[in-house]
Amino acid sequence: MFFTLTLTHVLTLSAVLLAMGLAGIVLNRRNIITILMCLELILLSVNINLVGASHFRVDLTGQIFSFFILTVAAAELAIGLAIVTLFFRNKGTVEIDAAGLMKD
Amino acid sequence: MTLPTLFLLAPILMLAVSCLLLLMVGAFTNNTRLTGTLTMLAFLLAACPLLTHPGSGMLFAAGGGHLVSLSPFTAMACLLTLALAALTTPLLFPSRITNNESRITSKPESFILLALSVLGMLTLIVASDMLTLYMGLELMSFPLYIMAALARDDAKSSEAGLKYFVLGGFASGLTLYGISLLYAATGTTSFAPLATALAAPAPILTVGLVLTLLGALFKLSMVPFHMWTPDVYEGAPTPITAIMAALPKIAAFALLIRLTMGPFLALAHTWQPALAMLAAISMLAGATMAIVQTNLKRLLAYSTIANVGFIATGVVAANPAGQGGALFYLAVYALTTLGLFAALLATGATQTAHLKGLATRSPLLAALMLILLFSLAGVPPFAGFMAKFGVFLAAIQGGYTNLAIVGVLASVIAAFYSLWLIKLMYFEQPASATALEIPAPLQIVLAVTAALSLILGLLPTLLSTLTLAAATALY
């Protein structure tokens, strides 16, 4: 075995996923559905962190935590999609630029 | 765990059961008035054990600590949340004379969502593990996202819901990432073991700390996490905005105080200066931006941002007087905000110009608003003055004299828009001279909030001794 997986590798992977999620939300100027996907990506990076740390620390808390996150993420997405559906009904589009009714 | 220890959780368990029963009542009777009355009763009933047997202790051992911990501080924060939640329910009640906005929110589901959100707030307040914290935070937020988008045919409302959801999800994602970093570095998610593990500084811990606190700061709408506040406040139906402005702030501040006095106490040198800076910017930016607003709900949104800065001053002080003062300020702020939103609902005003000559249209409403606005401006002898005085004094005692000076300057700026609104009400001519009739549920809210703003100003010790005792119990 010339390559050993350590906690650092796991943390790096999750940091990359987090960066992708953040970039997707901040830089994305087109579609709201993409934003929802990026929110999920952030939560998945958290899960990788938790499960990885749980494995290397031989402690079950992280894995239990990740189950809670999976469940809550499902509820969150249900609410998110419902709100996007409402938004689409009122505006006829899911483009981010359409969300500009209120300004200072 | 024995049954008597479970009695400590009585308020939360009672409210959880009430939520399920309310869901049944709402679904089968579809009677808004009945569901609303029962919701209010559920809040008051859940507050009873806190009044008679406040109790303290730890429950559900897990991971070297406990999932839930109860102390006089959590009891006080829960009590304030429940009392104010009971006071918000009349805003959602149907009434004979009503405007469009009240009709949208006068549905059984509004009350059930409110009860669920309050359940989340209580969970958040008593959390003593990151897992409980996360569940509480999300249970508090999800119903609020739905409520913001409750006006289904209104494009502004769904836009407000969408913005609140996306930014809220973003903030809680970052908080979770911070929690996962803390877990990776220390191997625990429980507050008590975290407090010992964080005593040895490391960069990863600082990053984890900052990201974890971010969620609380977002819910508090402190600068620079305030961008959502004006838009969501403007777009959401007014009764919902009142709820969002008052209740989650108490829970989020209680969480911030628990975190800074618990797991993050050893890292005080990191968060204290940063929080002081954010508090100063929040109050200055909020107060200044409020002046230029013409939309009343946006004005109140910026007023919230300024007030959150004032309250955070007490948290930065990190002494019993500061945290007790913050609790007192939270109660006063929530009362004032609820009263003002009730007044907006009663007048149907959306723009500041709509308030012109209100004194001639309804002298009573104008007088009540006068009390609330004076309290918001921090004019003695109203409650807002005592609240500001308390946190500034605590900041000076805590060694943050500069922050107190910035606070006094910001409150002068913040007084400007309140006094300007009073000028519009009393010294301008109304566009129409028709007399205003105030719906009965709103009369209750207005009378209670205005009376308490006056009473707590004249006799602040009624509440401040209790909040000080609650904060002292943290040490």
Side-chain angles (χ1 to χ4, degrees), chain A residues 17-29 38 42, chain B residues 170:
Chain A
L17 279 178
L18 175 79
M20 282 167 66
L22 292 186
I25 292 176
V26 177
L27 302 180
N28 171 21
R29 295 273 89 209
C38 291
I42 293 178
Chain B
F170 184 72

Side-chain angles (χ1 to χ4, degrees), chain A residues 14-15 22 25 32 35-36 39 43 49 57 59 61-62 68 72 76 79-80 83 86 90-91 99-102 104, chain B residues 134-135 142 149 152-153 158-159 162 165-166 169-170 176-177 180 183-185 187 189 231 234-235 293 298 302:
Chain A
S14 94
L22 292 186
I25 292 176
I32 293 169
I35 288 191
L36 293 188
L39 284 178
L43 292 180
N49 249 356
R57 292 198 164 266
D59 176 83
T61 317
F68 276 87
V72 173
E76 187 171 9
I79 292 173
I83 293 177
L86 268 188
N90 284 322
K91 306 257 187 163
L101 270 186
M102 293 167 286
D104 263 323
Chain B
Y134 173 62
M135 297 306 286
F142 288 178
R152 269 176 284 185
D153 300 325
S158 30
E159 188 181 318
L162 186 70
F165 170 79
V166 169
F170 184 72
L176 266 182
Y177 196 80
S180 75
Y183 176 67
T189 56
D231 287 357
E234 186 190 342
Q293 300 304 319
R298 290 187 89 86
Y302 283 106

